[in-house]
Amino acid sequence: MEKTDPKKDYTARTVILANGNFPSHPVPYGVLMEAERVVCCDGAAERAISVGIDPVAVVGDGDSLSVELRGRLGSKFIHDANQDDNDLSKAFNYCRKAGWKSLAIVGATGLREDHTLGNISLLSDYVTECDVVMLTDHGVFTVYLRSATIASVSGQQVSIFAFDPMMAISSRGLKYSLNEMRLSRWWQATLNEAEGESFRLEFNGGPVVVYRTWAVR
Amino acid sequence: MEKTDPKKDYTARTVILANGNFPSHPVPYGVLMEAERVVCCDGAAERAISVGIDPVAVVGDGDSLSVELRGRLGSKFIHDANQDDNDLSKAFNYCRKAGWKSLAIVGATGLREDHTLGNISLLSDYVTECDVVMLTDHGVFTVYLRSATIASVSGQQVSIFAFDPMMAISSRGLKYSLNEMRLSRWWQATLNEAEGESFRLEFNGGPVVVYRTWAVR
């Protein structure tokens, strides 16, 4: 039986809708539909508009927009042909320049796996500049630059990822304790479980990527 | 327009069906249906049988098998309650012990993102023991322990991932050349493109994970 975490509130004033799987789980879908403003990666604009979203901006190189939709968007279409940034980063940079610092990213996973991997790791860059989470149909990704206490529900599935295989991580409040563990592979700290209303990760160096599922065992 | 690579042949004598998204793209679906033998992670058994697959083994702790299906499987159900291995590794270990060394993994991505990440990185461990590829609905993951020349199609999208941020990688035959590049984030060598029928990666250390899309621009 799936229970979503009733205590979690991922409401963000600005939601970025990326061009992966359109959210169907009630948490990311709700956050998207109740956002104060939505910024779309251009490939996601058509679907967003079809469900009644009126994006404040649609950012990208425009290749995936029809001529008709581009015309209808008018000045809301923000052309960014930068080859060094992916679609998500173009939307993020637009928000950053606009001064919008409370961000939730939805629709960033679920299709091409290389996009999923890239988008998850980009959170680590974004989090130095703003308050950002990534919500998927299965859970939430958050990134920590220093040791943190993280809200949870007893039985919630937790996975932890790092980019530096030399960095030691320890935990309190997880079913399988990490003791100065160094993560040289992505699977090594996955499939853990929260024991209560929070758990603690201790490390020097960061960033550390934490994934918590909506489903609770 | 999507073109799949006509020169690629990912036929493997043994296919492991994991418990992520059941394959719908013709390449992984075809490889699954034409396998000499299929080993299922237990959560994938029901779906496999429903499309006419007769697995040689269904491996796992059995929690996701109905009593009825477990009864019907009889000795084909291989109970493995090891808490240290995930479902995919239980199936892999079964194949390894059986001496089956030509493996394709399908259905290992597309649902919980932490499973996707873990399963992709497990390839790096498996490849030391057998010839293994991971096929998804969007592309193929292969892992290299030393410098390699890799088949491609001009315009094929290519992404490269490493686990060691200190390891330098160089490329020939990709649109955006890697020159002694060190990958400290998963996005850094994504969204590249093959220029011809092969490309070359040079590095000391490994493993390097390569993703090639089915779609060709």
Side-chain angles (χ1 to χ4, degrees), chain A residues 15-53:
Chain A
V15 172
I16 296 176
L17 177 65
N19 196 21
N21 253 347
F22 189 83
S24 62
H25 186 280
V27 176
Y29 185 78
V31 166
L32 173 64
M33 300 307 282
E34 288 157 25
E36 187 170 318
R37 61 181 84 83
V38 175
V39 173
C40 289
C41 298
D42 64 1
E46 194 145 6
R47 180 67 188 273
I49 291 167
S50 78
V51 298
I53 291 168

Side-chain angles (χ1 to χ4, degrees), chain A residues 83 109 111-115 117 121-122 125 136 138 159 161 163 165 176 184-187 191 207 211 213, chain B residues 83 109 111-115 117 121-122 125 136 138 159 161 163 165 176 185-187 191 207 211 213:
Chain A
Q83 288 283 317
T109 66
L111 295 178
R112 267 177 60 175
E113 291 82 5
D114 56 340
H115 288 182
L117 286 165
S121 74
L122 281 166
D125 296 342
T136 82
H138 306 279
S159 289
F161 307 94
F163 301 104
Y176 309 102
S184 61
R185 293 288 184 277
W186 305 336
W187 57 263
L191 313 186
Y211 181 73
T213 60
Chain B
Q83 288 283 319
T109 67
L111 295 180
R112 267 177 60 175
E113 291 83 4
D114 55 341
H115 288 181
L117 285 165
S121 74
L122 280 165
D125 297 341
T136 82
H138 306 279
S159 290
F161 307 94
F163 301 104
Y176 309 103
R185 293 289 183 276
W186 304 337
W187 58 263
L191 314 187
Y211 181 73
T213 60

Side-chain angles (χ1 to χ4, degrees), chain A residues 93-110:
Chain A
N93 286 334
Y94 180 80
C95 293
R96 188 175 51 78
K97 287 176 192 160
W100 301 329
K101 299 229 163 196
S102 165
L103 301 178
I105 297 167
V106 303
T109 66

